[in-house]
Amino acid sequence: MAKIERAQKLFLKSLKEKFQGQDVQSEKTQFYNFNGVRQSPRKREFMEATKAIEAKRGISMYDPERCHLGGIPMGQRQLMTYEVSGTGTFVEGDDLHFVNNSAMQQFWDDIRRTVIVGMDMAHATLQKRLGKEVTPETINEYLHTLNHAMPGAAVVQEHMVETHPGLVDDCYVKVFTGDDELADDIEPQFLLDIEKLFPADQAEELKAEVGNSMYQAIHIPTIVSRTCDGGTTSRWSAMQIGMSFIAAYRMCAGEAAVADLSFAAKHAGVVQMGTILPARRARGPNEPGGIKFGLFSDIIQANRKYPNDPAKAALEVVGAGTMLFDQIWLGSYMSGGVGFTQYATAAYTDNILDEFTYYGMDYLKDKYGFDYTQPGQNMLKPTQDVVNDLATEVSLNAMEQYEQFPTMMEDHFGGSQRAGVMAAACGLTCSISTGNSNAGLNGWYLSMLLHKDAWSRLGFFGYDLQDQCGSANSLSMEPDRGLMGELRGPNYPNYAMNVGHQGEYAAIVGGAHYGRGDAYCYAPLVKITFADPSLKFNFAEPRKEFAKGAIREFEPAGERSLIISAKN
Amino acid sequence: MAYKPQYGPGTSIVAQNRRNQMNPGHELEKLRSVTDEDVVLILGHRAPGAAYPTAHPPLAEQQEPEDPMRKIVKPTDGAKAGDRVRYVQFADSMFNAPSQPYQRTYAEMYRFRAIDSGTLSGRQIVECRERDLDQYAKFLIETEMFDPATVGIRGATVHGHSLRLAEDGMMFDALQRCVLGDDGVVKYVKDQVGVPLDRPVDVGKPMNEKWLKEHTTMFHSLVGTAFREDEEYIEYIQRIHTLRTKYGFMPKEE
């Protein structure tokens, strides 16, 4: 290890904006004179909104000057704004809670309402069992029917209720295949064109994985998955698929052969985004706890848009992953309230993790000749010595930056925030350069041990428990003790309880493949499905989308004004 | 041959300070005096002069079963009397406070008996029987493990360890439990959970920057000793990590 110099620190602009008029390297400042919560425009807005609510409902609500610390409101220190990393957009911290951010909600909605269903078995059953002809024309007709039915319309029965299209306009189905000839015959409105959506080398790799098969990328209405749950997605989709096949191929609704088709078309080729969870976590499929890290890295599309910057691609996974796994999964499904947002946002605001990660990239170039802008070239062998060297240098640099810029330490005021960010930079540096997700995880855990001994502190009780025993499981493949990174997930035994880890782990896994220049990490079908430009959320730019949500410029699905009274 | 603890690696002054605090054979310097009543006031668990509330009858009055462990492990005074378990919690500034969360836990484990510690990034709590706690807390406040400006006794709302210091050198405390008086002495005006005290409790003058730098147990490249400079310490951590990676929690050299 040998320290290198970086001329332009990515976090400086944020710090100067956050701490205006102050020396960002100062060691002392003023407190107790910021007018409490009223220093924040968003808190003032909350207080103003509360007056109207209380007058209307007659029940007290938001009252920070009475209820916080028995009359001492928060804001005895400066309440900071945050720059969403990589966007240049400054937002209020409150706007990054998912309740206040429609983009964050839609991000999760778009995942939860998605299911992929293979068509090959259905087509084989139609042809061999039912004697139906299947051609590109019949497939197009079926897709017309399905895009009528999937949002909630009838195709076979008389006198049925149906859903208002204005409420379910985010629901549709497209298909994709690795067979160029077949793809050419599919109506463009229904086709996810791999050739057009991906860089040439990625497209070839993905088409080879898909082969001549055809898959449906299905997105049920946001409003349905919100009212029900992730387990609904495949059920809702299955019902409409079955009805659409019956209608499009003029089948009998009652004969036994339709049961064969039903299984083949509705269930046999289903790919869920998340696996079902055990009873103690009590969630069905397509809920956050069941999303494997490899699959999650394929949902995020930044490596498709930025194939020559695996660091940026991985940092986008960090932002998306911490939002989903920390803020929504652990922060609300498994716990509750508002605290988890602070852990998550540290990893995707103020360009701090970005700076630490690009320091790692520069160090790789300087010491090992690895150029991260040329994925797959001069990859490092994932030895313990290499991991130790990379993780040590990146950790030392990160700690020194916090020390040299006390305002940055003040920004990341909690130990868990700092620990997650520093270890993530180490993990990404190790995984991007070696192409090995477990080497990345191993780098994470060395960072934790170094951090703990340098500063004699780390995170909170449970956080430390996980990270102090991590070295021993990071390279293990034994059941209940280890697994390759791609197959680990939020419910992996040692990862299930702690905020500040899961999004970063997903990025470390993704980084291994982005560093290699792979088209996908774990699930090529998922990679293709989320490349869809018709989705409400742009999965190639999750941090920009979250920033749009924060400044109230994002347009989500789930509109209900059509069916509720006008307030004004 | 009897086991001789090494307490920890490192060639730096920070490493040596850590060993000194952990080693019960090393006498920590007493820098200030607080009365027993002062400690009771800051802790806030009972009124000064009040009897210790109990969770169970004194052990001597209980019919205890035959148990070899009971003969080996002698109860502390608090346990003998049946005291409640109560706590003291400290927040330590990252600007060279003399002790730091894990360091506190390690030192307390070596120096105190019958304790249950909890270690976080911004605070460290130690729980034990109340009359034992009074002694331990007094030790932790009077010795070189404490500095009135950069260490806070905080049961809740501990926020401050990572913030810049106030212009008067005090660590941020949203509740302002302690204040620096015009006489240069720090006074606790609220107990550790923020309940106002009937009278202020003096805990002495803040130590100066030179003393803090010489006595801190935290590495810091700006105001103290950089971790990078203690190569032995870093190699030790790398070795532990490598051995755990290869052999789990039964590390051995190849």
Side-chain angles (χ1 to χ4, degrees), chain A residues 23-54:
Chain A
D23 176 3
V24 295
Q25 291 185 279
S26 62
E27 297 162 37
K28 291 187 176 169
T29 188
Q30 291 188 330
F31 298 118
Y32 318 116
N33 58 355
F34 291 98
N35 200 22
V37 285
R38 290 178 188 271
Q39 67 181 280
S40 160
R42 188 64 72 239
K43 308 285 190 195
R44 292 199 300 273
E45 180 187 334
F46 292 172
M47 294 165 83
E48 197 60 32
T50 297
K51 286 183 193 169
I53 295 167
E54 289 180 343

Side-chain angles (χ1 to χ4, degrees), chain A residues 374-395:
Chain A
Q374 297 183 34
Q377 307 291 315
N378 299 321
M379 302 295 290
L380 273 59
K381 190 177 175 187
T383 64
Q384 188 71 60
D385 285 345
V386 163
V387 169
N388 285 1
D389 180 57
L390 296 176
T392 299
E393 180 51 42
V394 174
S395 292

Side-chain angles (χ1 to χ4, degrees), chain A residues 215-248:
Chain A
Y215 294 90
Q216 302 162 97
I218 298 167
H219 310 287
I220 73 164
T222 291
I223 204 164
V224 172
S225 68
R226 278 199 170 192
T227 308
C228 306
D229 67 358
T232 291
T233 304
S234 64
R235 298 185 178 106
W236 178 282
S237 123
M239 178 59 77
Q240 305 310 91
I241 284 173
M243 290 300 184
S244 296
F245 268 116
I246 289 170

Side-chain angles (χ1 to χ4, degrees), chain A residues 1-3 19 22-23 25-32 69 72 76-78 359 384 387-389 392-393 396-397 399-400 403-404 406-407 409-410 412-416 418 442-443 445-446 449-450 452-461 464 468-472 474-475 481, chain B residues 9 14 18 92-95 100-104 106 117-123 125 157 159 161-176 190 209 217-223 226-228 231 233-234 236-242 244-249:
Chain A
M1 72 205 178
K3 188 172 177 57
F19 299 99
Q22 301 177 53
D23 176 3
Q25 291 185 279
S26 62
E27 297 162 37
K28 291 187 176 169
T29 188
Q30 291 188 330
F31 298 118
Y32 318 116
L69 289 177
I72 301 175
Q76 299 306 307
R77 59 173 288 203
Q78 182 180 340
Y359 179 88
Q384 188 71 60
V387 169
N388 285 1
D389 180 57
T392 299
E393 180 51 42
L396 289 175
N397 172 69
M399 281 188 277
E400 287 161 1
E403 292 160 356
Q404 297 293 320
T407 47
M409 188 80 86
E410 197 164 306
H412 285 183
F413 54 82
S416 304
R418 300 185 293 266
N442 193 255
Y445 292 114
L446 174 55
L449 298 184
L450 288 163
K452 179 194 155 203
D453 263 77
W455 288 348
S456 194
R457 51 164 56 77
L458 201 57
F460 55 86
F461 291 116
D464 293 12
Q468 292 182 40
C469 64
S471 308
S474 56
L475 296 189
R481 184 162 183 252
Chain B
V14 171
R18 289 180 179 186
D92 300 295
S93 170
M94 295 177 82
F95 283 107
Q100 300 287 337
Y102 272 109
Q103 177 61 24
R104 284 189 179 279
Y106 301 153
S117 64
T119 316
L120 297 89
S121 63
R123 55 193 163 118
I125 189 170
T157 316
H159 194 103
H161 78 278
S162 56
L163 272 55
R164 289 169 290 174
L165 299 175
E167 288 178 336
D168 62 3
M170 296 289 285
M171 179 169 57
F172 173 77
D173 178 6
L175 293 176
Q176 291 185 276
K190 298 176 183 175
E209 288 183 7
T217 50
M218 190 189 129
F219 291 97
H220 196 300
S221 64
L222 183 65
V223 297
F227 189 43
R228 189 185 288 274
E231 291 182 14
Y233 214 130
I234 292 171
Y236 164 84
I237 303 298
Q238 289 176 326
R239 178 170 167 271
I240 290 290
H241 172 70
T242 301
R244 284 185 186 173
T245 300
K246 289 179 178 172
Y247 307 113
F249 290 106

Side-chain angles (χ1 to χ4, degrees), chain B residues 79-241:
Chain B
K80 274 186 204 165
D83 291 354
R84 302 176 302 176
V85 171
R86 303 308 294 144
Y87 65 88
V88 62
Q89 182 165 269
F90 291 90
D92 300 295
S93 170
M94 295 177 82
F95 283 107
N96 283 342
S99 200
Q100 300 287 337
Y102 272 109
Q103 177 61 24
R104 284 189 179 279
T105 292
Y106 301 153
E108 289 162 3
M109 287 293 184
Y110 279 114
R111 288 177 179 272
F112 303 151
R113 292 187 61 223
I115 60 165
D116 179 11
S117 64
T119 316
L120 297 89
S121 63
R123 55 193 163 118
Q124 189 267 7
I125 189 170
V126 59
E127 300 183 62
C128 58
R129 304 288 188 148
E130 194 165 351
R131 78 187 64 203
D132 303 335
L133 176 71
D134 288 352
Q135 291 175 38
Y136 299 160
K138 195 166 191 286
F139 176 88
L140 293 169
I141 295 169
E142 289 186 332
T143 65
E144 58 186 277
M145 289 180 72
F146 187 81
D147 167 49
T150 59
V151 178
I153 306 168
R154 305 178 181 184
T157 316
V158 300
H159 194 103
H161 78 278
S162 56
L163 272 55
R164 289 169 290 174
L165 299 175
E167 288 178 336
D168 62 3
M170 296 289 285
M171 179 169 57
F172 173 77
D173 178 6
L175 293 176
Q176 291 185 276
R177 275 160 278 224
C178 59
V179 292
L180 180 64
D182 293 337
D183 56 358
V185 172
V186 174
K187 304 166 200 307
Y188 271 78
V189 294
K190 298 176 183 175
D191 70 14
Q192 61 177 339
V193 292
V195 176
L197 297 173
D198 292 338
R199 66 166 176 84
V201 174
D202 292 356
V203 289
K205 293 185 175 180
M207 308 306 288
N208 62 40
E209 288 183 7
K210 180 170 179 290
W211 185 93
L212 289 170
K213 185 175 177 181
E214 288 171 353
H215 288 80
T216 188
T217 50
M218 190 189 129
F219 291 97
H220 196 300
S221 64
L222 183 65
V223 297
T225 305
F227 189 43
R228 189 185 288 274
E229 292 170 8
D230 197 333
E231 291 182 14
E232 179 185 290
Y233 214 130
I234 292 171
E235 285 174 19
Y236 164 84
I237 303 298
Q238 289 176 326
R239 178 170 167 271
I240 290 290
H241 172 70

Side-chain angles (χ1 to χ4, degrees), chain A residues 46 92 112 152 168 244 271 316 423 481:
Chain A
F46 292 172
E92 292 285 313
R112 186 183 51 217
V168 291
S244 296
V271 179
E316 294 293 341
R481 184 162 183 252

